[in-house]
Amino acid sequence: MTGTTEEEPARLRRPALDPAGIQPRSTSGYPEPFRSRVLPREKRALGDALGLTKIGVNLTTLFPGKESSMRHFHTREDEMVFVVEGQVVLVSDEGEQVLTAGTCAGFPAGNSNGHQLVNRSDRPARYLEISNRDPADSAGYSDVDLRYRKAPGGEAIYTRKDGTPY
């Protein structure tokens, strides 16, 4: 031991970190009526905190009755989720599947199989979201009149499918 006890764990330093030390983000770029379907939720940007620039990693807490996103697919970003705690329902073109702690799902870029996670349980669920970061990425939404693309500065732009703004 290096002078620490179970009650007092060693302070981690980069390249390691304790996700609990990252301030959670509880926002969404979605316009209404979609924003209220996902919030509140908490995302801890692990990739950003570790200085990662090629992949994004979020530790997300999804509260009971909330959706991770609208059912969507990405044009240029691969995406993967890994459930850490609790359970969520994966909704995709194949139907619905329950994912529990230790299970995962992946969504290749360019595949128009829209997906989302829904917490139908009575407890918060936590999962890792992992994706590559592509400045030319855009997203389509399977069930709602919504489109996403990135502005030149990286900001999210949401429009209706015909391109008109919200």
Side-chain angles (χ1 to χ4, degrees):
M1 276 300 216
T2 58
T4 62
T5 66
E6 284 187 34
E7 297 82 32
E8 182 186 339
R11 180 166 169 79
L12 297 175
R13 59 190 184 285
R14 282 181 78 166
L17 66 78
D18 179 351
I22 298 173
Q23 184 67 32
R25 180 176 83 240
S26 188
T27 60
S28 169
Y30 281 148
E32 285 298 355
F34 313 116
R35 182 180 300 126
S36 57
R37 290 172 56 178
V38 300
L39 295 181
R41 67 175 176 207
E42 293 181 351
K43 289 181 180 266
R44 295 175 193 270
L46 306 183
D48 290 348
L50 292 168
L52 303 181
T53 60
K54 305 283 189 234
I55 61 170
V57 182
N58 291 316
L59 176 60
T60 300
T61 302
L62 189 62
F63 296 101
K66 294 299 174 177
E67 301 167 64
S68 61
S69 61
M70 302 303 99
R71 202 161 74 90
H72 69 287
F73 55 91
H74 290 272
T75 59
R76 299 181 58 111
E77 290 185 1
D78 286 337
E79 193 174 13
M80 178 181 165
V81 295
F82 182 94
V83 180
V84 176
E85 179 182 331
Q87 74 176 34
V88 292
V89 176
L90 167 62
V91 181
S92 69
D93 289 349
E94 286 78 21
E96 296 188 356
Q97 302 179 63
V98 175
L99 302 180
T100 57
T103 61
C104 60
F107 315 100
N111 183 327
S112 62
N113 184 354
H115 58 275
Q116 73 177 153
L117 303 177
V118 180
N119 186 343
R120 294 189 184 139
S121 77
D122 60 358
R123 297 178 9 166
R126 293 175 53 171
Y127 54 91
L128 290 170
E129 300 171 327
I130 305 162
S131 69
N132 62 296
R133 299 180 187 209
D134 190 307
D137 185 47
S138 61
Y141 292 83
S142 305
D143 306 323
V144 296
D145 187 16
L146 188 64
R147 281 185 128 164
Y148 159 84
R149 66 180 170 84
K150 291 182 182 179
E155 307 84 37
I157 298 174
Y158 292 94
T159 65
R160 290 179 173 80
K161 289 181 179 176
D162 68 5
T164 59
Y166 268 95

